[in-house]
Amino acid sequence: MKASRLFVNCLESEGVDYVFGVPGEENIDLLESIDSSKIRFILTRHESGAAFMANVYGRLTHKPGVCLSTLGPGATNMITGIADAYLDKAPLVGITAQSPLEAMHKESHQYIDSHELFKSITAWSKMITRAELIPEIVRKAFDIAVDRSSPVHIELPEDIACEELKPPEPLKRTPHSLDICAMETIKKAAEAISRSSSCIILAGNGVIRSEASKALLEFASSANIPVATTFMGKGAIPADSELCIGTVGLQARDYAFCGLEKAVMVIAVGYDCVEYFPKFWNPNGRNKRIIHIHTSHPEIDADYMPAFSLAGDISENLRRLGAVVKKKKIESYFFRLRDIVGEELSCFAEDRSFPLRPQRIVYEMREALGRDDIVVSDVGAHKLWIARLYPAYEANTVIISNGFSSMGISIPGAMAAKFVCKERKVIAACGDGGFLMSAQEIETAIRNKINLVILIFNDSKYGLIEMKERQKFRKSFSVDFKNPDFSKLASSFGAEGIRIEKAEQLGDALKEALKMNKLCIIDVPVDYSENITLMEKLGNNICRI
Ligand SMILES: Cc1ncc(C[n+]2csc(CCOP(=O)(O)OP(=O)(O)O)c2C)c(N)n1
């Protein structure tokens, strides 16, 4: 058997159904083996698109997404999407081709040391130097990707890929179980919660990765504690649960943040420091008592020094804690915070300003989508508006990159969402900057008959950076650009293009676009003049309640 065939057998044995990637001379043996397997190869137009697809596939399925590139330039192109999976903690297996073994010690066409490059953005990176090691290396890669919810990297040299060998069998996965904390520790944590005068739960993406949303809601209900989520924790608790007070993550005193500020105790569940520095919500004073509940013990951070760390199975540890904790009384302040966010969104339902205000766009997106439909946000000012205002009712219905925060994720990410959840509606929401960082993947979507809606917040600028510049320098510079005609661009790809000309048009346009049997690009002129309020005024307003 050819080694590349054995490699693909191992991928099949891991349950891989899609590989996203771009070919190169050095990976055509592997591609030929994939071609004659049950795995579907999704040919993309840029390796970063392939990596973003694998990244979002991993987040949605909790199985590693797989992406593939050639050596050198293919590998370097794939890096951004893989680095995003690293800081956003998505399980992913990245495969790159490599020069033959005998060419690696000297100057050689397209050769760079990819292992060195990938080492710092993966939990594990390995070159296959002997074909018979393939089953062990692939098995180990998938275990690490799942257990650490992280990307891993396998390098397959060209000469190894086409070696013939007497095939070993793929190895089977041994089920791994997570720890459950000793009852003694759980009781102590429960006593601390009962004693604390004011408590809040801060839920992060770890809840979603661990599929612990149900346990979180049960725990919050039995202890009667309000829940704020991070951007990537959106949907960990339904936005219409009376305990959900909204999203934190802006570097400002936004609504839900005030709840965090007021609480004496923070129960951080599945919270990742990478998303939202502890110094923003527990600054210098470091006076909050923290209980950390996650799959692993906490990152060392001087502003995040929990009194208790319950590491292991999040759901089971929450259940045990919920069984012994005393029900608390919630101050009305927390409910007020929650109502204000809802009021802010509905207040823009009839807003006729044109260009549209971001709040109106978010309102219309929410109206057009069902509870379990999916929004994949790109990175920019639009992400902040979506994160704070868009109510998410289920886990993984708002996909946001907030660890690595790479522009360009939304279009390939939304495509991955469509591969995984064919029956759900999907919107890729992006700025005009991020759109053109991944627009080439529209061709991939059309070729694969993927119907989704791409909604562009069009301000002819890198909007978020303008906001930061204005905040710091009271002026803006180096952020303006000119856009192509997005409708014409859409039709040149074979997609539908709609340009919004007045605010009232957006709701119907979105609903129709989501029903279309075609990919649709909606170009929405946006008025970002209120962006600065994301950083300034909100905090002042909130002080008054
Ligand atoms: C790949 C990448 N390059 C640069 C940045 C820095 N950055 C963050 S937001 C932003 C502007 C985004 O502009 P746009 O996509 O138009 O969205 P808007 O802010 O206007 O909503 C930039 C340049 C980044 N996060 N990722």
Side-chain angles (χ1 to χ4, degrees):
M1 182 188 279
K2 201 159 75 164
S4 58
R5 178 69 234 185
L6 171 62
F7 195 101
V8 171
N9 285 354
C10 292
L11 295 182
E12 280 183 330
S13 154
E14 297 294 337
V16 172
D17 42 12
Y18 291 100
V19 171
F20 306 95
V22 176
E25 190 183 328
E26 293 73 10
N27 63 17
I28 51 178
D29 282 274
L30 190 58
L31 278 168
E32 194 269 332
S33 299
I34 293 175
D35 194 50
S36 45
S37 77
K38 289 198 211 85
I39 296 174
R40 194 163 155 210
F41 180 68
I42 304 295
L43 180 76
T44 66
R45 302 303 301 270
H46 193 288
E47 291 83 352
S48 71
F52 283 133
M53 286 178 208
N55 172 338
V56 173
Y57 176 100
R59 287 203 217 183
L60 289 171
T61 60
H62 310 286
K63 287 190 333 189
V66 182
C67 52
L68 170 69
S69 79
T70 189
L71 74 171
T76 53
N77 266 355
M78 207 154 75
I79 278 185
T80 304
I82 293 194
D84 192 276
Y86 187 61
L87 286 194
D88 284 354
K89 302 180 194 292
L92 177 151
V93 174
I95 304 161
T96 60
Q98 189 49 287
S99 310
L101 291 179
E102 84 255 2
M104 277 181 226
H105 62 287
K106 57 186 176 188
E107 196 172 274
S108 151
H109 182 65
Q110 292 192 317
Y111 171 76
I112 47 158
D113 188 338
S114 311
H115 167 74
E116 276 301 317
L117 274 183
F118 281 84
K119 228 167 53 180
S120 65
I121 51 162
T122 55
W124 193 62
S125 167
K126 202 78 209 157
M127 184 196 291
I128 299 178
T129 50
R130 282 170 47 202
E132 61 273 24
L133 301 181
I134 288 172
E136 273 181 8
I137 291 177
V138 173
R139 185 73 282 286
K140 181 164 172 172
F142 277 77
D143 255 4
I144 295 175
V146 171
D147 291 351
R148 304 214 1 220
S149 205
S150 171
V152 296
H153 170 230
I154 304 177
E155 220 178 340
L156 184 60
E158 189 185 358
D159 50 346
I160 302 283
C162 54
E163 222 172 68
E164 291 290 335
L165 78 163
K166 187 167 166 288
E169 288 289 308
L171 301 174
K172 294 267 171 286
R173 178 171 165 85
T174 315
H176 293 187
S177 64
L178 286 167
D179 292 344
I180 295 162
C181 289
M183 212 47 217
E184 200 187 326
T185 318
I186 289 194
K187 277 187 184 151
K188 281 191 189 145
E191 276 160 28
I193 296 172
S194 307
R195 275 198 309 273
S196 131
S197 56
S198 174
C199 250
I200 191 168
I201 295 171
L202 174 60
N205 187 256
V207 174
I208 295 172
R209 292 198 298 277
S210 305
E211 301 181 75
S213 303
K214 186 165 172 273
L216 173 70
L217 183 59
E218 281 165 10
F219 169 72
S221 309
S222 61
N224 205 27
I225 299 175
V227 183
T229 74
T230 63
F231 288 10
M232 291 177 69
K234 280 181 86 67
I237 179 162
D240 51 358
S241 153
E242 64 159 8
L243 291 169
C244 177
I245 64 160
T247 316
V248 288
L250 288 179
Q251 292 162 28
R253 296 184 67 239
D254 203 4
Y255 306 130
F257 175 84
C258 293
L260 204 55
E261 196 176 50
K262 195 166 173 67
V264 177
M265 170 175 277
V266 176
I267 306 171
V269 187
Y271 159 73
D272 305 313
C273 294
V274 65
E275 228 208 301
Y276 183 42
F277 271 154
K279 76 169 178 196
F280 291 129
W281 53 269
N282 192 29
N284 305 324
R286 297 173 193 169
N287 51 3
K288 294 204 188 300
R289 212 162 150 73
I290 298 169
I291 296 184
H292 171 89
I293 304 177
H294 212 318
T295 46
S296 56
H297 289 295
E299 172 71 6
I300 300 301
D301 184 315
D303 299 312
Y304 189 75
M305 300 300 287
F308 296 93
S309 171
L310 310 185
D313 186 324
I314 297 181
S315 294
E316 197 47 41
N317 284 331
L318 281 176
R319 265 181 218 119
R320 290 180 172 218
L321 192 60
V324 287
V325 80
K326 289 205 190 92
K327 208 170 183 99
K328 298 190 71 70
K329 207 166 167 298
I330 303 184
E331 292 166 71
S332 57
Y333 178 85
F334 288 102
F335 293 123
R336 182 72 197 118
L337 296 177
R338 173 204 131 90
D339 293 344
I340 290 179
V341 187
E343 284 161 18
E344 180 174 337
L345 191 59
S346 47
C347 171
F348 283 88
E350 307 287 329
D351 187 85
R352 290 171 166 232
S353 324
F354 189 83
L356 283 86
R357 298 216 255 182
Q359 297 95 321
R360 171 93 199 237
I361 306 176
V362 176
Y363 173 84
E364 296 297 354
M365 281 166 51
R366 185 58 281 181
E367 284 292 295
L369 292 176
R371 281 180 87 85
D372 67 346
D373 292 332
I374 298 173
V375 175
V376 184
S377 173
D378 219 81
V379 173
H382 59 282
K383 172 176 113 172
L384 305 188
W385 288 108
I386 292 169
R388 64 184 293 273
L389 285 181
Y390 184 93
Y393 302 113
E394 290 184 20
N396 264 338
T397 53
V398 180
I399 304 289
I400 288 183
S401 167
N402 204 32
F404 194 60
S405 288
S406 175
M407 292 164 73
I409 189 174
S410 64
I411 297 174
M415 289 170 56
K418 267 307 221 186
F419 280 120
V420 174
C421 313
K422 296 186 175 53
E423 71 298 345
R424 298 206 221 161
K425 294 178 183 146
V426 177
I427 295 180
C430 54
D432 40 8
F435 173 80
L436 276 179
M437 288 197 184
S438 282
Q440 70 282 355
E441 300 308 341
I442 294 169
E443 190 282 323
T444 312
I446 304 270
R447 185 168 19 91
N448 285 283
K449 302 193 173 37
I450 290 179
N451 303 325
L452 54 87
V453 171
I454 301 174
L455 188 154
I456 307 172
F457 287 65
N458 184 347
D459 65 338
S460 299
K461 283 186 182 59
Y462 288 122
L464 181 72
I465 308 306
E466 186 201 30
M467 170 184 104
K468 298 272 177 178
E469 290 173 350
R470 288 202 184 280
Q471 189 191 15
K472 190 164 182 182
F473 303 105
R474 305 277 152 206
K475 60 177 182 174
S476 88
F477 45 90
S478 317
V479 287
D480 295 276
F481 48 69
K482 283 206 163 52
N483 282 315
D485 180 327
F486 289 123
S487 298
K488 286 193 183 143
L489 186 82
S491 55
S492 72
F493 274 114
E496 189 68 30
I498 302 174
R499 163 113 180 147
I500 299 300
E501 310 282 357
K502 51 183 185 180
E504 302 86 295
Q505 191 193 342
L506 178 61
D508 288 343
L510 252 178
K511 283 174 202 141
E512 266 171 43
L514 286 162
K515 273 192 244 144
M516 265 178 215
N517 211 6
K518 211 173 177 188
L519 186 145
C520 184
I521 299 172
I522 307 186
D523 174 6
V524 190
V526 61
D527 172 6
Y528 268 156
S529 54
E530 277 183 55
N531 279 354
I532 199 77
T533 63
L534 288 172
M535 294 310 190
E536 292 173 347
K537 282 200 219 115
L538 293 172
N540 302 333
N541 291 342
I542 203 73
C543 290
R544 290 191 217 112
I545 63 162

